[in-house]
Every structure is written in C-alpha cells, then in structure tokens.
Amino acid sequence: MIDTIIFDFGDIFINLDKQGTISGLQKLGLKEWNADLDRLNLLFETGDISYDDFVTGFQKQLPNASIKEILEAWNAVLADFPSYRLDFLKELSKKYRLFLLSNTDSIHIATFEKKSGAPFYTDFYNCFEKVYFSFEMGLRKPDPKIYQVLLDKHNLVPGNTLFIDDKTENTNSAATLGIKVWNLQVGKEDVVDLFNKEIL
C-alpha cells in the first residue's frame, strides 16, 4: 500500500527546455557541451562549488559573454509550470505524504521562485512534508545514499513509497532499495496520469 510519494521536479512539474540552454550557450560562442562544463554542473548541483566558481568556470569557456548573458542561457532550461499540475498535487497532499527530491542548483531554484512568484511557489512547497534539493544535501541522484537519507529521516517504508522521475538511472537506483518507481516518459505521460497508471 503506497502511503508516500517522492517526486522529481524538472519535467515532472516544471517543463524543461534543455535545448534552450544549449542553444543559448552556443549563441555566446560555445562550440559544444563538454566534460569541463559537465563537471561544473555536477559540482554546483551538489553544492561543492560556489556561485562565483560556477560562473567563472563558464566565463573561461565564453570569454566574450557577460555574466548576465551566461545566466540567461543557463536559465533558458526552465520553461512553464502548468497550474493543473499544482492543483493535482494539492489534492494528492490530502491523502499521501509527499516529498520533492531534485537534482538542481541555487541559480535555477532562485530563478524558478522569481518567475513563478511567492504565492505560487509557496503553495507548491507547502504540498510537501519536506523539499530536498541536491545542492543543499551535498548529494545527487542516482546515488542511492540520497534516497536512504529520506527513508531514514522520515521513517519511510521502501515498499510503501513511490518515487517518480523521468530519468531511468534515477528510478533504477531507487528501485534497488525496494522503493516502488514510475519512470515517467516525458512528452508521452504527465504526472497527473498517476491514477490511470494503477500504481497506487
């Protein structure tokens, strides 16, 4: 019997435009996404480097771009957050224990909050017992430790817990701990289809 649901954020609630960031960076002179940028992203997502280190890392690769332009390109990934998903979440929160678990960074979260406005993001966060961001935890999915933190801190029973994420490596990792999973196919499925999936 599922009594707890852990949700990813990007492409589950907020739509992402990954190509938007790549295109934006290319316009600023980036030839292609590379290992150095990958490393910067991962370190920033686990809070292991500061905002300044992150921006400086990008400036090294985009010497002609301003910080403002770099941040605009970086934030281009964040698309819309349809309000019907928030309505669905509010209904779910009456029946289940809900948690948010997102691989993200401080820039993206600050941008989401600024774009959506306090009433919207407060309503969103209030649906959850606790909101977990990788940059605050020092861990990121698919590391099994990140799921274990939630299980231990909130006395969750893996078999009674559902984890919803669009990345296969993340759901596979959670499943090794006995957590039930739904690997949501972006573009083909929507989180509001949850009850039609007969997972609950």
Side-chain angles (χ1 to χ4, degrees):
M1 181 72 182
I2 300 291
D3 56 24
T4 304
I5 309 172
I6 303 169
F7 293 94
D8 177 32
F9 183 28
D11 270 339
I12 302 295
F13 293 113
I14 190 169
N15 291 321
L16 298 183
D17 176 11
K18 290 165 189 166
Q19 195 49 48
T21 285
I22 299 296
S23 303
L25 292 171
Q26 284 170 340
K27 280 179 194 150
L28 299 177
L30 186 73
K31 289 188 175 58
E32 60 179 1
W33 186 266
N34 55 52
D36 287 344
L37 293 180
D38 223 24
R39 188 168 167 276
L40 269 180
N41 179 37
L42 295 180
L43 290 171
F44 197 39
E45 275 193 353
T46 49
D48 287 316
I49 56 170
S50 67
Y51 168 90
D52 288 342
D53 290 339
F54 177 73
V55 172
T56 303
F58 268 88
Q59 282 181 302
K60 278 181 189 157
Q61 304 218 18
L62 301 166
N64 300 319
S66 69
I67 291 174
K68 183 170 180 279
E69 287 172 325
I70 290 168
L71 292 177
E72 271 176 15
W74 187 244
N75 286 321
V77 69
L78 301 172
D80 62 314
F81 185 144
S83 57
Y84 72 83
R85 289 184 187 151
L86 179 58
D87 295 338
F88 174 72
L89 194 62
K90 284 177 181 173
E91 287 305 308
L92 268 189
S93 69
K94 295 172 186 171
K95 300 174 193 158
Y96 298 91
R97 296 178 71 186
L98 305 182
F99 297 88
L100 190 71
L101 180 62
S102 173
N103 283 352
T104 188
D105 61 64
S106 55
I107 294 173
H108 281 158
I109 291 307
T111 304
F112 157 66
E113 292 177 357
K114 190 177 171 196
K115 271 174 75 174
S116 62
F120 187 91
Y121 76 71
T122 304
D123 272 4
F124 176 57
Y125 293 158
N126 284 343
C127 291
F128 302 101
E129 203 170 305
K130 186 146 176 55
V131 169
Y132 285 100
F133 295 134
S134 59
F135 72 93
E136 294 173 332
M137 296 177 77
L139 289 167
R140 68 188 298 285
K141 302 173 287 188
D143 186 339
K145 285 184 201 152
I146 202 166
Y147 309 109
Q148 199 62 54
V149 166
L150 272 73
L151 295 175
D152 294 346
K153 261 194 176 171
H154 302 284
N155 297 316
L156 306 181
V157 177
N160 298 347
T161 303
L162 174 67
F163 172 55
I164 301 172
D165 196 295
D166 60 302
K167 291 198 170 63
T168 315
E169 64 267 28
N170 295 342
T171 49
N172 285 352
S173 172
T176 63
L177 299 174
I179 297 169
K180 300 277 196 311
V181 297
W182 174 20
N183 177 227
L184 185 148
Q185 306 298 303
V186 180
K188 295 179 186 168
E189 300 176 310
D190 193 299
V191 70
V192 300
D193 302 334
L194 180 57
F195 290 104
N196 302 341
K197 294 280 153 196
E198 298 181 355
I199 302 168
L200 295 174

